[in-house]
Amino acid sequence: MSETRDDRPGHAADLDEDERKNAEEEQSLDAKTTHEVIRLEGERELERSNGALAWSGLAAGLAMGFSLVAQGLLHHALPDTPWRPLVASLGYSVGFLIVILGSQQLFTENTLRVIVPLLSRRDGGTLGNVARVWAIVLAANLVGALVFAWVAARTEMFDAQMRHAMTELARKAMEPDFGLTLLRGIFAGWLIALMVWMLPAARTAHLWVIVIVTWVVSAAHLSHVIVGSVEAFYLSALDEQSWGESLGGHVLPALIGNVLGGTGLVAALNHAQAVTGAAHSPR
């Protein structure tokens, strides 16, 4: 009995069933599939207990301190040239790699993930649950950032040269005023949320997606609320600026910007694209 082959134009007549399956698996996920992956992840986040969210958020806040440390190491080791900030910005990715690959709770990821179930259902119960997750994760992230910054500034954990490099980086991050920090926060939230949206399709390239996107955030001097909190709290722990300046001058505008960028420019737009079927589905 001869093998039946599909010889219609546009079909791979020379591929067997396994080969066609492999070809289909290599296709990029379409918008609807990606939306469903993010929605399911968001549903799982909404089901987590307060304690689980708090401990994971605390771990993430602490881990984000290593972005400042890694940048400081590169900044200190490299010569003072125009390209030094571009290379030192690679260190910014370290905290994100720890948090994302370690499945820890970072506030700017949840601005996308848990919003998708809310956009799908639009009910008061889901809204309250989203508020619960946001509040706990944000508070835990900030506490972790504060602890890391305080220890880095007030102990001999790092030598004088490293502390000097970290101080220079923190001072540079605090230069923008409220309005500029908010604007830069919008673009940072946009990029971080896009990164989360791209990860399901990245398959084995997660590391590269995280490194490239977060490098752009750092190299472009965009404002991320948790990394920026480490920098702001570090300067306050050194008594270079007041705690009010750290919270009101950087943390608050970066927070507002990240939420606007993550929810308005990514979650809402990609949700609309998926539910209306506007995206092109690979065939």
Side-chain angles (χ1 to χ4, degrees), residues 29-102:
L29 299 180
D30 63 15
K32 289 184 178 180
T33 304
T34 301
H35 177 275
E36 183 60 13
V37 171
I38 299 296
R39 188 190 67 79
L40 291 174
E41 291 176 346
E43 296 286 3
R44 287 194 292 270
E45 299 299 336
L46 292 173
E47 292 173 357
R48 298 188 69 174
S49 68
N50 293 347
L53 290 169
W55 284 113
S56 184
L58 178 63
L62 290 166
M64 293 308 291
F66 288 105
S67 287
L68 177 59
V69 171
Q71 281 185 285
L73 286 169
L74 292 171
H75 182 84
H76 170 61
L78 294 169
D80 187 7
T81 61
W83 49 262
R84 179 168 71 171
L86 295 177
V87 179
S89 291
L90 289 170
Y92 192 88
S93 304
V94 171
F96 288 92
L97 287 168
I98 296 171
V99 167
I100 296 171
L101 298 183

Side-chain angles (χ1 to χ4, degrees), residues 19-183:
E19 289 170 331
R20 289 182 182 179
K21 182 179 180 181
N22 290 337
E24 290 174 357
E25 289 176 350
E26 288 301 315
Q27 296 182 98
S28 297
L29 299 180
D30 63 15
K32 289 184 178 180
T33 304
T34 301
H35 177 275
E36 183 60 13
V37 171
I38 299 296
R39 188 190 67 79
L40 291 174
E41 291 176 346
E43 296 286 3
R44 287 194 292 270
E45 299 299 336
L46 292 173
E47 292 173 357
R48 298 188 69 174
S49 68
N50 293 347
L53 290 169
W55 284 113
S56 184
L58 178 63
L62 290 166
M64 293 308 291
F66 288 105
S67 287
L68 177 59
V69 171
Q71 281 185 285
L73 286 169
L74 292 171
H75 182 84
H76 170 61
L78 294 169
D80 187 7
T81 61
W83 49 262
R84 179 168 71 171
L86 295 177
V87 179
S89 291
L90 289 170
Y92 192 88
S93 304
V94 171
F96 288 92
L97 287 168
I98 296 171
V99 167
I100 296 171
L101 298 183
S103 300
Q104 297 170 355
Q105 292 289 318
L106 186 64
F107 179 75
T108 45
E109 288 183 276
N110 284 299
T111 56
L112 173 66
R113 285 198 175 104
V114 299
I115 279 292
V116 175
L118 176 61
L119 292 173
S120 299
R121 288 198 293 272
R122 302 184 185 183
D123 59 74
T126 305
L127 177 60
N129 206 4
V130 168
R132 176 186 70 91
V133 171
W134 277 20
I136 294 172
V137 171
L138 177 61
N141 285 172
L142 291 176
V143 170
L146 173 60
V147 171
F148 191 100
W150 183 270
V151 172
R154 293 298 185 104
T155 71
E156 300 299 319
M157 182 169 64
F158 302 109
D159 61 32
Q161 292 177 323
M162 261 294 293
R163 291 199 300 273
H164 177 71
M166 292 164 63
T167 302
E168 285 188 338
L169 291 168
R171 287 171 180 163
K172 180 68 176 176
M174 296 302 109
E175 287 179 356
D177 60 16
F178 188 101
L180 184 55
T181 299
L182 190 152
L183 181 61

